[in-house]
Amino acid sequence: MSRQHLQTQFSKIYTYFEGKDSDTNLETMAEIFSCTRRNARMVLAKMSEQGWLSWEPAVGRGKQSRLCFHRSDTDLQMKRVRDWVKEGKLDAALEELNNDAAKLARLIQEQLGVSTQEGRQIIRLPYYRAFPSLNPSKPLRRSEQHLVTQIFNGLTRINESTECIEPDLAHHWEAITPSHWRFYLRPAVRFHDGSLLSVDDVIWSLESVQNNAYFSNIKHIAAPAENVVDFVLHKPDCRFADTLAVPQASIQSKQAAGTKEADRFPIGTGPYRVAENNDRQLVLKAHDEYFGFRALTDEIEIWVLDSAAMCYLQPSASLDPTALESRQGALHSGTNERLELDEGCNYLLLNRRNGIAKDPEWAAYISQRVSSLMLLPHLAQKGIGEYRLTNAYGLIPGWIHTAISSVTVSPPSQRHLRLVHQADNPLFPLLADALKDMLAEDGIALQIDAVSYEEIMQPRNTKKIDIWLCGMSLGSKRRDAILPWMMNFEHISAAMPEAEFAELVSAMDDWRSTADMPFDAESVGRKLVTSAQLVPMFHIWLGVVEGRDLEDVASNKVGWFDFKAVWRKPEL
């Protein structure tokens, strides 16, 4: 008899006797269990072995036996649910709790944090959404950017502390000419599936992103020798090694990338491999054949809870990386918080190519009428106080490009607009509803639709969209960090007049061709705002909540921490 069936039988007798110690007989027990007397005796013996009850058989005909309960039905239910939570069977646990997300969150809290099992160090973290795609060649949200760096390597990488370029899969490189670069690969590097990294994997991975404007300077990729990759460029680029250090340039296994589950279970060469990835849990396990220093933490489990359940979680002497990317529900006094403003903001992207903002009057109206300051009264009515927000006057904290005007502006004649925002973000519906209320004061009807992040970054049918509500996170303080965000996908080019976007691409090419010229990112940000292309809304605070049980914790620029570098000091 399975343990679950045994617990079901226990529930029957506990309900029958209302949890009270009773005098009864074996015939009654057999009727409750719907089995023979012999089987009933075996079931009672197994329950006794578990310590749930005691059964004292009567001596003599006609006498009653004694049944004493040592556990309640609720005790066993919670024990069963705790076991499921520990095993990661969150769907079963939630169903057993009658879909009570708050109760499930409290049980999960017991399991969160750092633990050691059979000598292996495990960190369990809560998060509010799943990760259906960890494919680096597709649009990456803030948290996916971090996860990709734990799963993959590029030819080069950006040191998170110094923000300088350093070797990764390529141990050396050289510019044969400013338009011809050569990279030398580390030998004997293995993917998570045990296969060896080859030049074919490098060529395939980087050819797959060539259509993005950020990588469009790549003309041809070839392998002149084993573990050597050559890049021929359309134009001179003194900083091509920097270009290849972004997450989108991660090297994938060509063979594994063609499988049906490649997005959820990508194969990289990084310090962690994806062991499990479903709607309730992401499990990363250390890659024992990693070519660098083996990860100090053996396993990372990210437990996916909905936003309602997340609000009930308390920091479990551990880390809670951006519980809701902007919500402070899990951050409380008594913990050490390492928080800083995100290198980015939430913003409105106006469709100046073929939407309502193609009309300069509409572009001027929206950019002047809408601002974080004007939106705050409407947000206050929607419980926005639970979020960590700071008014944005430019795309990056410290940039002041939004002109605050007290002049009343009126909308042109048309009275209907359509806004889309990314789904699975708890803040955006509140921002969109507040904007709808504010525009209604001017007689404008705002239609709101939620779409996937991929649809935001690679929009289709743009003629039907007037405004995108988006979020950006550069993940670095480097001046050129704005370029991958602008150029990697079509969200900016699809909304901006073609000639203006071509000017941005030209400015990027000019900077790349000059070795000693710093990139003027602020001028680019100013142009995007003053042209009414973008309306900055809010910056958010990111960071980790530090407990006492992990060493070497340091929040990175996307609000997470380097999994492989943290560890638990044993108690001696």
Side-chain angles (χ1 to χ4, degrees), residues 107-161:
L107 292 177
I108 290 174
Q109 181 67 51
E110 299 174 0
Q111 303 291 334
L112 293 177
V114 187
S115 64
T116 301
Q117 296 181 6
E118 299 179 353
R120 299 168 60 253
Q121 291 192 2
I122 300 173
I123 298 177
R124 295 188 177 98
L125 301 168
Y127 205 60
Y128 76 99
R129 61 176 176 83
F131 303 96
S133 177
L134 295 170
N135 185 336
S137 65
K138 293 186 176 181
L140 300 174
R141 296 174 67 172
R142 179 187 295 108
S143 295
E144 279 81 349
Q145 289 181 45
H146 167 71
L147 293 171
V148 160
T149 64
Q150 305 293 301
I151 300 168
F152 294 94
N153 298 98
L155 294 182
T156 59
R157 65 185 174 207
I158 298 175
N159 184 298
E160 290 188 347
S161 299

Side-chain angles (χ1 to χ4, degrees), residues 1-11 43 46-47 49-52 71 75-81 83-84 87:
M1 177 180 293
S2 69
R3 185 180 179 87
Q4 183 174 349
H5 188 201
L6 190 66
Q7 289 183 358
T8 300
Q9 295 288 54
F10 179 85
S11 295
V43 171
K46 289 182 179 180
M47 292 180 182
E49 291 174 4
Q50 296 292 329
W52 300 349
R71 294 286 187 274
D75 289 340
L76 293 192
Q77 181 197 38
M78 297 308 293
K79 175 66 168 59
R80 180 167 63 249
V81 171
D83 288 343
W84 282 338
E87 295 168 6

Side-chain angles (χ1 to χ4, degrees), residues 203-221:
I203 293 172
W204 179 85
S205 297
L206 293 172
E207 283 182 343
S208 67
V209 297
Q210 262 184 282
N211 291 333
N212 296 353
Y214 187 69
F215 300 101
S216 61
N217 195 26
I218 299 175
K219 181 179 181 180
H220 178 65
I221 311 174

Side-chain angles (χ1 to χ4, degrees), residues 312-542:
Y312 292 91
L313 290 177
Q314 305 291 322
S316 179
S318 180
L319 300 161
D320 181 16
T322 60
L324 291 176
E325 292 194 338
S326 58
R327 196 159 192 167
Q328 61 181 346
L331 305 181
H332 298 275
S333 60
T335 60
N336 296 321
E337 300 178 13
R338 298 184 178 186
L339 304 177
E340 59 181 82
L341 283 175
D342 182 26
E343 287 297 307
C345 67
N346 299 313
Y347 62 92
L348 300 180
L349 174 63
L350 308 188
N351 190 350
R352 294 177 57 233
R353 174 170 287 200
N354 49 26
I356 194 69
K358 183 178 182 179
D359 181 344
E361 292 186 16
W362 267 104
Y365 163 74
I366 297 173
S367 63
Q368 294 176 38
R369 176 72 171 92
V370 180
S371 69
S372 57
L373 283 175
M374 298 296 291
L375 207 59
L376 281 176
H378 300 278
L379 289 172
Q381 300 174 10
K382 299 181 181 299
I384 202 67
E386 296 180 346
Y387 289 77
R388 295 179 180 268
L389 301 177
T390 297
N391 293 333
Y393 304 103
L395 297 180
I396 306 299
W399 288 0
I400 310 296
H401 300 151
T402 300
I404 304 300
S405 175
S406 59
V407 178
T408 302
V409 292
S410 300
S413 57
Q414 184 176 339
R415 299 295 180 180
H416 297 277
L417 301 178
R418 181 174 181 236
L419 176 145
V420 298
H421 65 77
Q422 71 185 54
D424 300 324
N425 185 301
L427 176 60
F428 285 174
L430 296 178
L431 293 179
D433 286 342
L435 182 61
K436 181 176 183 179
D437 293 345
M438 188 176 75
L439 294 179
E441 295 176 351
D442 292 352
I444 297 174
L446 183 66
Q447 177 186 341
I448 300 172
D449 294 304
V451 299
S452 68
Y453 183 68
E454 191 168 335
E455 172 64 18
I456 289 285
M457 301 301 285
Q458 297 176 317
R460 299 181 293 272
N461 298 323
T462 58
K463 292 182 179 180
K464 298 181 180 181
I465 301 172
D466 298 307
I467 305 172
W468 288 269
L469 171 56
C470 314
M472 63 174 291
S473 182
L474 302 185
S476 170
K477 290 184 179 291
R478 288 171 55 103
R479 292 186 176 184
D480 60 322
I482 196 173
L483 291 175
W485 165 72
M486 288 194 306
M487 303 293 178
N488 251 331
F489 299 100
E490 295 82 46
H491 60 302
I492 301 296
S493 61
M496 178 180 283
E498 189 173 353
E500 291 186 25
F501 187 76
E503 290 180 9
L504 292 179
V505 175
S506 179
M508 177 179 69
D509 291 341
D510 291 344
W511 170 73
R512 285 174 167 176
S513 66
T514 308
D516 58 353
M517 182 177 70
F519 185 71
D520 191 357
E522 186 170 0
S523 292
V524 173
R526 180 183 294 108
K527 183 172 183 179
L528 290 172
V529 174
T530 57
S531 67
Q533 188 64 64
L534 295 175
V535 181
M537 300 304 294
F538 296 98
H539 304 300
I540 67 174
W541 291 90
L542 294 178

Side-chain angles (χ1 to χ4, degrees), residues 134-136 148 150-153 169 190-197 201 204-205 250-259 261-270 272-275 287:
L134 295 170
N135 185 336
V148 160
Q150 305 293 301
I151 300 168
F152 294 94
N153 298 98
L169 289 175
R190 291 193 178 275
F191 284 106
H192 299 147
D193 61 2
S195 62
L196 285 171
L197 170 73
D201 298 304
W204 179 85
S205 297
S250 298
I251 305 304
Q252 305 181 61
S253 164
K254 178 181 178 181
Q255 181 178 1
T259 63
E261 294 294 309
D263 284 356
R264 279 193 180 269
F265 294 90
I267 301 297
T269 58
Y272 285 94
R273 62 180 177 86
V274 180
H287 178 28

